[in-house]
Amino acid sequence: MPIIAISAGPFSRAQEVARLVARELNQPLVGRELLAEVAAQYQAPEARLVEALEQGPSLLGMHKALRARCLAYIEAALLERLTADNLVTIGLAAHLCVAGVAHLLKVRVQADLDQRAQERARRENLGEDRARRLILDEDKRLAQWSQFAYGLDEADASIYDLVVGLGQIEPEQAADIIVRTAGYRRFQAMTYSQNHLRELALGARVRAALIEDHPEATVGVVGSEVTVTILAVRRHQERKVASVRELAGGVAGVGELKVEAITDVFQEAAETMR
Amino acid sequence: MAEQPQILVVDDEPLVGKRLGPMLERLGGQVEVFSDPYAALLRLPKKHFDVVVSDVRMDEVTGLDILETALKISPETRVILITGYAMMSLARQAMAKGAFDFLAKPFTPDDLRGAVSRALGSLGFAVEPPQAKEQQSQA
């Protein structure tokens, strides 16, 4: 069975659809509750993790480095779960942060604006006009967030394998369509896609281990062979390479570890001009 | 079903076939290796193969052609495709056309042994899991 990543705008009844899909397939549903585990594992405040998943860029908002750190921790934990189980996931940006995995079925659940406004008005005891305005604002903010964090517009249908509209069908019928699509052979797990997912998970674990001390590091993985590339001025390279070796070398699953230092010529030039 | 599983290996790079052949024989299979995919295509109607392992990207005849022909002749044949040019779209296309598994080069011997063992197991052949075999040979 494939892993199913469900995405939706707020108040689209996607949680209900995700629960139905998970129940039908007898698979666990992994959502925002994973953030409590991430917070405990990486000693990161849960509220910051939520903010990293929702807030777009703003002057007074979350610092870019902190957002990158939070997202790295979430990705590491999420990918770990994805490699361990067949599951359904929602609300953790799997559709944005997991690329090229053939057995990850990316689904967008779409309700029309009136339905969403009615749902929000009902839940929050608001007028429908106000609920509609709030939803439009939130959609705009989420579009900015997904562009900023992953360079993708999460409302763009072309990034999904399946888009299900709830305008004319009930959540049960939407879940049925998703379950049937998940049964197609093209979305089944294969050695290639499982290995690719394991490589992504290992890369994410290494990135999470490095991100506090080496936020600029890029990580490549082939099998268990990990290559970390860092940018540093020549006089700091030896120390930085040693630090990366220590941090990344301790990550479970790392086999051969290569650390490559690229000379930061701009930093060096800036230092000579001081 | 023959007692000994019949395995066909097709790769236009002769060295790959030379390496895969003996590896798959150790799983208990009788293996035929072809570096000429066209010759492999002509061989398929003449003999039943339980498992076909084929490269995807070859001149004139591709692994997808081998897959389609093998399944047309014998729908229960398990076809495993391997490629150095793996992409999600190609992997999905291969699975949709009926591939049993899809591997990207470079793969580990255990990856291929695992895929072939699963394929043979799904046909009712008793195959030791690759790790048990590995442990025995290490012992």
Side-chain angles (χ1 to χ4, degrees):
Chain A
M1 265 292 152
I3 297 159
I4 301 171
I6 295 178
S7 150
F11 299 94
S12 299
R13 299 179 76 189
Q15 282 285 350
E16 194 180 338
V17 174
R19 267 195 298 274
L20 290 164
V21 171
R23 196 177 66 191
E24 182 64 28
L25 293 173
N26 198 22
Q27 289 184 355
L29 174 63
V30 178
R32 287 286 171 95
E33 72 284 355
L34 183 74
L35 298 184
E37 287 176 35
V38 179
Q41 189 179 351
Y42 292 101
Q43 281 95 47
E46 195 175 335
R48 290 298 203 183
L49 298 172
V50 174
E51 202 179 334
L53 275 177
E54 288 181 353
Q55 298 299 323
S58 72
L59 273 178
L60 300 172
M62 194 174 208
H63 191 273
K64 196 178 167 189
L66 179 58
R67 179 195 303 275
R69 212 182 308 163
C70 289
L71 290 177
Y73 297 153
I74 295 166
E75 284 169 27
L78 173 65
L79 282 156
E80 202 60 35
R81 291 295 289 271
L82 298 186
T83 52
D85 272 315
N86 283 334
L87 53 82
V88 180
T89 175
I90 186 167
L92 294 167
H95 57 291
L96 299 172
C97 74
V98 185
V101 174
H103 69 285
L104 180 79
L105 175 66
K106 296 182 181 183
V107 181
R108 179 77 173 176
V109 172
Q110 208 124 285
D112 68 38
L113 185 58
D114 287 344
Q115 285 176 315
R116 295 169 68 197
Q118 283 161 14
E119 181 72 10
R120 183 163 199 161
R122 185 182 64 78
R123 277 203 237 166
E124 296 181 0
N125 203 18
L126 301 169
E128 262 187 48
D129 283 346
R130 170 132 178 81
R132 189 176 286 107
R133 275 198 304 278
L134 288 171
I135 283 173
L136 287 172
D137 284 349
E138 211 158 335
D139 283 352
K140 195 172 159 192
R141 186 170 50 70
L142 282 171
Q144 285 173 340
W145 166 80
S146 67
Q147 278 289 357
F148 181 71
Y150 292 100
L152 294 167
D153 176 2
E154 71 162 3
D156 175 3
S158 71
I159 68 169
Y160 298 96
D161 299 303
L162 176 69
V163 178
V164 185
L166 289 178
Q168 301 297 320
I169 60 174
E170 293 301 314
E172 289 79 6
Q173 292 163 316
D176 184 51
I177 290 167
I178 296 168
V179 168
R180 273 192 283 131
T181 306
Y184 293 165
R185 278 197 56 79
R186 65 173 58 241
F187 298 119
Q188 303 314 303
M190 63 199 88
T191 302
Y192 159 62
S193 62
Q194 286 171 325
N195 285 349
H196 183 48
L197 184 56
R198 274 193 285 271
E199 287 173 351
L200 290 177
L202 177 56
R205 284 201 299 278
V206 172
R207 247 190 314 278
L210 293 175
I211 197 150
E212 195 162 351
D213 293 347
H214 304 281
E216 84 293 351
T218 57
V219 181
V221 180
V222 177
S224 62
E225 190 182 303
V226 176
T227 305
V228 179
T229 308
I230 52 165
L231 193 65
V233 294
R234 264 169 286 213
R235 64 193 168 86
H236 290 158
Q237 282 180 0
E238 199 178 324
R239 180 177 55 77
K240 281 193 145 193
V241 167
S243 159
V244 168
R245 285 207 166 279
E246 192 184 338
L247 291 166
V251 174
V254 173
E256 193 182 335
L257 174 63
K258 291 180 191 164
V259 186
E260 293 168 356
I262 295 173
T263 302
D264 189 342
V265 286
F266 293 107
Q267 183 64 30
E268 282 195 347
E271 285 181 7
T272 53
M273 281 188 271
R274 270 182 207 153
Chain B
M1 189 193 300
E3 279 184 17
Q4 194 178 16
Q6 303 298 306
I7 302 174
L8 175 71
V9 175
V10 189
D11 197 310
D12 60 355
E13 181 55 61
L15 193 62
V16 176
K18 265 188 193 167
R19 283 184 181 159
L20 299 190
M23 185 201 298
L24 298 177
E25 276 167 1
R26 281 197 289 276
L27 284 176
Q30 192 170 26
V31 184
E32 286 189 34
V33 178
F34 284 82
S35 58
D36 175 358
Y38 190 68
L41 218 47
L42 294 177
R43 180 68 174 143
L44 280 167
K46 293 181 182 147
K47 181 181 171 183
H48 171 77
F49 290 98
D50 301 296
V51 174
V52 173
V53 178
S54 175
D55 190 15
V56 174
R57 198 160 163 173
M58 298 179 287
D59 287 340
E60 294 176 25
V61 177
T62 71
L64 294 175
D65 298 325
I66 299 276
L67 167 73
E68 281 175 4
T69 306
L71 294 183
K72 201 169 169 186
I73 293 166
S74 164
E76 68 274 17
T77 294
R78 306 296 191 242
V79 181
I80 296 165
L81 293 179
I82 55 179
T83 184
Y85 304 90
M87 286 192 320
M88 188 173 80
S89 55
L90 177 62
R92 283 180 167 176
Q93 187 189 1
M95 294 300 280
K97 282 179 181 287
F100 181 80
D101 204 347
F102 187 92
L103 279 77
K105 292 179 188 173
F107 48 80
T108 65
D110 271 350
D111 281 339
L112 183 64
R113 279 194 290 256
V116 173
S117 296
R118 281 192 299 278
L120 292 174
S122 73
L123 290 168
F125 288 100
V127 184
E128 283 181 65
Q131 277 168 351
K133 200 134 195 156
E134 199 71 28
Q135 281 161 3
Q136 269 183 8
S137 64
Q138 280 170 3

